[in-house]
Amino acid sequence: MTFLVGGISSAGRAFPDVQGHAFRVTRSAGAYLWHDRGQRYLDTAMGFGATLLGHAPPPVLEAVAQAQAEGPMPSFAHALEEAAAAALAARCGDLSQVIFLNTGSEAVHLACRTARIATGRGRIVKFAAAYDGWYDPVAFGNAQSPAARMTGARPERDGMLLLRYNDFADVERLFAEYDDIAAILMEPVLANAGCLEPAPGYLQYVTDRAHRNGALVILDEVLMGFRLHAGLTGHYLGVDADLTAVSGGQWLAAAATLGDIARLGASAGKVFLLENLNTAVDHPGVPFARAEDTLALIEAVASPYLRLNLDLYHAQIGEGNLIELVRRAGPAIGEIQVADVPGRCEPGTGEIHYLAIARALAKLGYRGVVGLEGWASEGDTERALERFRTAFTV
């Protein structure tokens, strides 16, 4: 490579040679990549999480082409900005005011400046080993840096302090040491440090101590927003934030794509179903896995040609509280699928009280399909079917 520094624009995208040749992608589509020697590969990186719908999905390309044709960069406000802001704010709880920026680093920088102005204080705190962008202050303490090891005195640079992740006692030490903290910059799951998850109650504990001491809480959701559910990961984990930096593109893209699918259904007189799938046992890595999140997408599209395939087996693993879920989903349900937990066998072999669920469905007036998607316990198909019929006879 003659002109590209180091042969690539980001070290995070570096890849070893393949069969003696540099790996350079020439095109991508769906789940596949093609390198410059013509070989096709299954892409397991998928833009490190950004290409939620696969590479170059036609509905997204069509929407982008239409937006480009209408002139996407006027020097003034664009009519679609408010619509995009409303769609994002609808999934962000009390955080209802939106500003669009170019990068996650820029968004985090603006949030930190806002916190300093709002509080009149100078210091920001981030988790050691968290990734909050590449501007100098927030790049301090990134994963694998010496400062992230937190040895000796608390590291500080340019008004940025480090806090040891999942260390409750260190939170107390922090606020005992400093009374001029403007905000805690909180990446809820440390994505670039191996996807480290917070200890139970830890993020709420940090939030409570911050607010008690007059500091704001900034959620950095650029990597984690809309990944664990249809909204902010911090909210999902119980954080009451004051500001957030979020990349909401995949939620908006998913809703837009499903809208196109619903319009195809309307033109053909067909109803499409969207199913919830659990990530804990059967489908790790599936986005929008909880039934509540799947339902939120369907409600955002608001078309009778897109409905919920409510899989109660997956919902029990993913969230539980099935009767309330059935009542909540009500009119959006297009089909019910059942199997018991654990084991994925017929009703009566696990923990789910299917007769109570059947009564709730009957009370709602549900007359749609109820399907058994599971194994026959003991290998007896007829006995499994009879148990299924009994569970839904009310």
Side-chain angles (χ1 to χ4, degrees):
M1 301 294 284
T2 303
F3 300 104
L4 194 60
V5 176
I8 195 164
S9 295
S10 170
R13 295 163 54 205
F15 199 79
D17 289 353
V18 177
Q19 296 178 345
H21 298 278
F23 186 75
R24 299 192 184 96
V25 176
T26 55
R27 70 184 184 95
S28 58
Y32 299 99
L33 304 172
W34 285 261
H35 70 23
D36 54 6
R37 295 171 62 82
Q39 179 66 46
R40 187 183 78 166
Y41 294 87
L42 179 66
D43 183 10
T44 59
M46 299 307 291
F48 303 116
T51 49
L52 176 71
L53 304 177
H55 296 286
V60 174
L61 293 180
E62 291 166 9
V64 170
Q66 181 179 347
Q68 292 281 355
E70 293 172 355
M73 285 295 292
S75 299
F76 312 99
H78 195 288
L80 292 179
E81 282 183 287
E82 175 64 15
L88 179 58
R91 305 307 309 169
C92 293
D94 293 336
L95 300 173
S96 59
Q97 300 295 296
V98 176
I99 185 169
F100 291 107
L101 299 164
N102 295 314
T103 66
S105 295
E106 187 178 347
V108 168
H109 178 69
L110 178 58
C112 291
R113 290 187 65 182
T114 301
R116 287 186 169 112
I117 293 169
T119 63
R121 298 175 176 183
R123 285 186 167 96
I124 303 291
V125 180
K126 62 168 282 186
F127 293 139
Y131 178 73
D132 298 292
W134 272 113
Y135 287 5
D136 282 347
V138 294
F140 177 58
N142 279 357
Q144 299 184 5
S145 68
R149 298 187 179 95
M150 294 283 290
T151 57
R154 186 180 305 280
E156 180 177 12
R157 189 179 73 188
D158 298 330
M160 182 67 67
L161 292 162
L162 299 186
L163 175 65
R164 193 185 301 276
Y165 188 65
N166 279 340
D167 188 331
F168 289 78
D170 198 41
V171 179
E172 297 299 332
R173 288 192 294 270
L174 173 73
F175 286 105
E177 294 166 358
Y178 300 93
D179 61 2
D180 62 345
I181 295 172
I184 304 291
L185 178 57
M186 182 182 291
E187 186 185 23
V189 176
L190 301 194
N192 277 22
C195 285
L196 300 179
E197 298 183 24
Y202 174 70
L203 297 182
Q204 298 96 315
Y205 187 84
V206 176
T207 301
D208 176 70
R209 293 303 185 273
H211 287 158
R212 186 181 300 179
N213 287 275
L216 303 182
V217 173
I218 302 169
L219 279 172
D220 180 358
E221 299 266 354
V222 175
L223 294 180
M224 292 307 303
F226 292 86
R227 267 63 171 185
L228 298 187
H229 81 135
L232 302 180
T233 294
H235 286 172
Y236 179 66
L237 297 172
V239 176
D240 179 19
D242 303 289
L243 297 160
T244 189
V246 61
S247 172
Q250 62 174 311
W251 162 263
L252 300 177
T257 301
L258 289 169
D260 288 336
I261 290 172
R263 284 186 283 276
L264 288 174
S267 64
K270 303 292 183 182
V271 176
F272 287 91
L273 299 177
L274 189 64
E275 182 181 3
N276 58 295
L277 301 169
N278 82 79
T279 58
V281 177
D282 300 283
H283 301 282
V286 172
F288 309 124
R290 298 167 70 249
E292 280 282 358
D293 303 329
T294 310
L295 178 60
L297 274 172
I298 290 168
E299 290 176 337
V301 174
S303 168
Y305 294 94
L306 180 69
R307 305 186 77 184
L308 176 63
N309 180 358
L310 179 55
D311 192 309
L312 296 174
Y313 162 80
H314 290 298
Q316 175 67 7
I317 294 172
E319 56 220 280
N321 202 17
L322 296 184
I323 291 178
E324 284 302 316
L325 178 60
V326 164
R327 291 170 180 162
R328 161 88 172 82
I333 298 174
E335 181 178 341
I336 298 285
Q337 288 187 349
V338 305
D340 223 326
V341 176
R344 204 171 190 174
C345 293
E346 74 273 10
T349 58
E351 65 193 25
I352 302 178
H353 190 351
Y354 270 113
L355 183 57
I357 294 171
R359 288 170 180 155
L361 287 168
K363 190 172 182 179
L364 289 170
Y366 179 75
R367 294 293 183 269
V369 172
V370 178
L372 173 61
E373 186 187 41
W375 306 100
S377 66
E378 305 169 5
D380 190 336
T381 304
E382 289 303 320
R383 184 179 180 186
L385 289 172
E386 184 56 35
R387 284 180 169 174
F388 171 48
R389 295 187 191 99
T390 300
F392 282 86
T393 300
V394 294

